[in-house]
Amino acid sequence: ILVDDAHSDWEWTQIPFDRSTYGRQTTYSYETLVDYLAHHYSVTVNVDDDLTDALLADADVLILKTPTRPFLATERDAIVRFVERGGGLLLIGDHTNLFGMTTYINPIAEPFGIEFLTDDTYDLTTGQPSRYAPPLLAAHPAVAHMPPLVFETTCSLKPSLALRSMISGRGLGSEPADYSHINFFGNIRPDPDERWGILLQAASAVRGRGRVVAFTDSTVW
């Protein structure tokens, strides 16, 4: 597994989870996620290199999470070739284009028919973050054995015939990014001009011999 830190100043993997390091970076740290994965797989973190064919050659799975700076066109092309050769790609976005994440992740997602939207979602009944439990039948393999999940706040994905639904939230509201708010949230209540109903929160796609998963909430990781 190759985890890319080079394009993301968020969800840090190099911040230790201990009794002497505190602050927002530990709250939003992926260090323990990488540590957990390393108990089962060989895990490498790309700290500052461009993504190239050579860098991806030894990886089976590439994790791109919450980018806060753009990818080069050459990096996008290398990622597409990686998937076509049989690689797995996990794209992790988040709500409301926070820190430009959606702007930067969509050029990578586009060749696979995936588009992250610049919205946030919430449960229409409670106004709180949504919950998801996999169905008993016909669940996507990636979530079939997952326990019930409480999201923090997701964005949604644009539905497409090229995508297979992994997580479709029901009874959700969607509001567009409000760039006047510090975290780009709106009022988190239904308004007449907003979307509501069944919204796509995770999906998969196939390209060549490889597979891609798009997930819309970085905080739960």
Side-chain angles (χ1 to χ4, degrees):
I1 298 174
L2 177 63
V3 182
D4 183 57
D5 252 10
H7 298 81
S8 178
D9 189 23
W10 192 248
E11 314 289 17
W12 301 268
T13 63
Q14 306 294 304
I15 308 299
F17 190 71
D18 56 24
R19 296 184 178 183
S20 59
T21 307
Y22 298 96
R24 185 169 68 171
Q25 288 186 309
T26 55
T27 303
Y28 289 93
S29 172
Y30 273 21
E31 192 273 340
T32 51
L33 171 63
V34 170
D35 179 67
Y36 173 79
L37 291 173
H39 280 76
H40 302 276
Y41 307 97
S42 172
V43 180
T44 303
V45 176
N46 175 42
V47 177
D48 51 20
D49 290 330
D50 292 343
L51 297 173
T52 62
D53 291 320
L55 186 66
L56 297 173
D58 294 328
D60 296 307
V61 174
L62 171 64
I63 300 178
L64 301 182
K65 41 82 177 172
T66 60
T68 58
R69 72 174 181 85
F71 295 84
L72 299 173
T74 54
E75 293 180 296
R76 179 199 61 213
D77 295 343
I79 292 167
V80 171
R81 289 191 294 269
F82 166 75
V83 174
E84 290 177 338
R85 291 193 300 264
L89 174 62
L90 173 59
L91 301 171
I92 304 176
D94 216 321
H95 60 77
T96 61
N97 201 21
L98 184 67
F99 306 129
M101 293 172 186
T102 307
T103 297
Y104 299 134
I105 204 170
N106 271 340
I108 302 300
E110 186 273 334
F112 309 107
I114 297 169
E115 181 179 349
F116 291 78
L117 300 180
T118 56
D119 61 350
D120 62 72
T121 68
Y122 57 92
D123 182 87
L124 278 173
T125 303
T126 65
Q128 299 298 311
S130 60
R131 304 172 63 93
Y132 175 77
L136 296 177
L137 298 174
H140 189 285
V143 298
H145 304 289
M146 187 179 72
L149 172 67
V150 179
F151 285 107
E152 292 297 330
T153 304
T154 76
C155 67
S156 63
L157 298 169
K158 184 177 180 179
S160 166
L161 294 177
L163 301 182
R164 179 179 175 186
S165 171
M166 284 175 52
I167 299 178
S168 292
R170 297 177 179 272
L172 301 186
S174 162
E175 59 182 6
D178 180 352
Y179 294 109
S180 68
H181 188 281
I182 186 172
N183 290 327
F184 304 163
F185 284 115
N187 56 20
I188 312 185
R189 63 171 181 259
D191 291 318
D193 59 342
E194 295 176 350
R195 297 186 304 133
W196 53 271
I198 300 174
L199 302 178
L200 193 58
Q201 295 173 293
S204 65
V206 175
R207 174 140 177 171
R209 296 169 56 199
R211 293 172 291 181
V212 182
V213 163
F215 193 82
T216 57
D217 184 3
S218 73
T219 312
V220 293
W221 293 83

